[in-house]
Amino acid sequence: MPDPSARPVRADARANEDKLLAAAAAAFARDGSAATLKQIAKDAGVGIGTLYRRFPTREQLVDATYRYETARLAAQAPTLLGELPADRALRTWMSNVLDYLATKHGMAETLGALLRDDARLGSSTREQLTAAVEEFRRAGVAQGVIREGVPAADILMSLAGVTLAAGTRPQREQAERLLDLLMDGLTRAESWRPPLTAT
């Protein structure tokens, strides 16, 4: 499916679109599949006609919201690294990933169909998030706070494992503890080595 946000738009239309996508992300995270387009338009401060002109179907809104939230999450890396040491920046970002997944879960049914129909959508998401993790990883290695030799793809996969095990809202405290364990593994001293495999 073509990305609806790819079409050129005027500055005022872009502002309305950003308001709609931010409101949609909040609504899907809060209300899940019960989120209504009417409420999203109201939360964005625009008329329902504005929403339908930009996103004629719920599927198009879900697609655009998913792309918007993914890009927003990936773009946080430089800002966080400018404010915090790399290990703390990465840990903060991991918590933000949990918020991102709350939105994703709220769109699960429609999003699942979109991902099945467009394999590039999923691969684009992985590429963007892996690139963000790589920014944190490189900065952390340079600062001496993250162990060398751990690929960004492995860090992202470990993060995905945490979200699969404890990705629902009631599990948030447990997920945060699991993220602390993940960070402990990433920031262990270089002298750490895995145990020898028994023979």
Side-chain angles (χ1 to χ4, degrees):
M1 175 183 294
D3 179 2
S5 63
R7 299 192 302 268
V9 293
R10 300 188 316 273
D12 58 340
R14 173 62 67 183
N16 282 337
E17 179 178 307
D18 287 345
K19 290 177 185 177
L20 282 166
L21 294 176
F28 287 128
R30 181 185 66 239
D31 303 326
S33 60
T36 66
L37 301 186
K38 182 177 181 181
Q39 185 62 50
I40 289 170
K42 181 179 179 181
D43 292 346
V46 303
I48 189 66
T50 298
L51 186 153
Y52 278 120
R53 278 193 299 274
R54 188 65 187 128
F55 307 108
T57 68
R58 188 181 185 89
E59 289 75 15
Q60 287 178 315
L61 177 61
V62 167
D63 181 277
T65 301
Y66 178 63
R67 294 175 191 270
Y68 174 84
E69 286 293 285
T70 299
R72 188 181 66 83
L73 181 64
Q76 290 175 6
T79 301
L80 289 172
L81 286 169
E83 297 171 348
L84 298 166
D87 54 345
R88 290 176 56 200
L90 175 57
R91 179 61 182 82
T92 299
W93 187 80
M94 288 180 173
S95 286
N96 293 344
V97 170
L98 299 180
D99 296 330
Y100 163 80
L101 286 172
T103 299
K104 186 177 175 183
H105 288 160
M107 304 184 295
E109 184 175 346
T110 302
L111 182 58
L114 291 171
L115 290 168
R116 286 191 298 272
D117 292 340
D118 185 359
R120 292 173 299 177
L121 181 57
S123 63
S124 173
T125 298
R126 286 189 297 274
E127 289 170 5
Q128 290 180 73
L129 298 186
T130 300
V133 173
E134 179 64 9
E135 287 191 62
F136 291 117
R137 190 198 70 81
R138 285 182 179 272
V141 170
Q143 295 171 20
V145 296
I146 291 178
R147 291 195 297 115
E148 292 188 64
V150 182
D154 289 2
I155 298 173
L156 186 62
M157 186 173 291
S158 298
L159 176 55
V162 170
T163 63
L164 285 173
T168 64
R169 191 179 298 275
Q171 295 174 300
R172 181 60 181 259
E173 289 187 10
Q174 183 182 35
E176 296 284 2
R177 293 195 300 270
L178 292 173
L179 292 179
D180 287 339
L181 288 173
L182 174 56
M183 287 302 304
D184 183 61
L186 288 173
T187 56
R188 296 285 291 274
E190 281 297 313
S191 59
W192 179 86
R193 292 292 183 272
L196 295 174
T197 302
T199 58

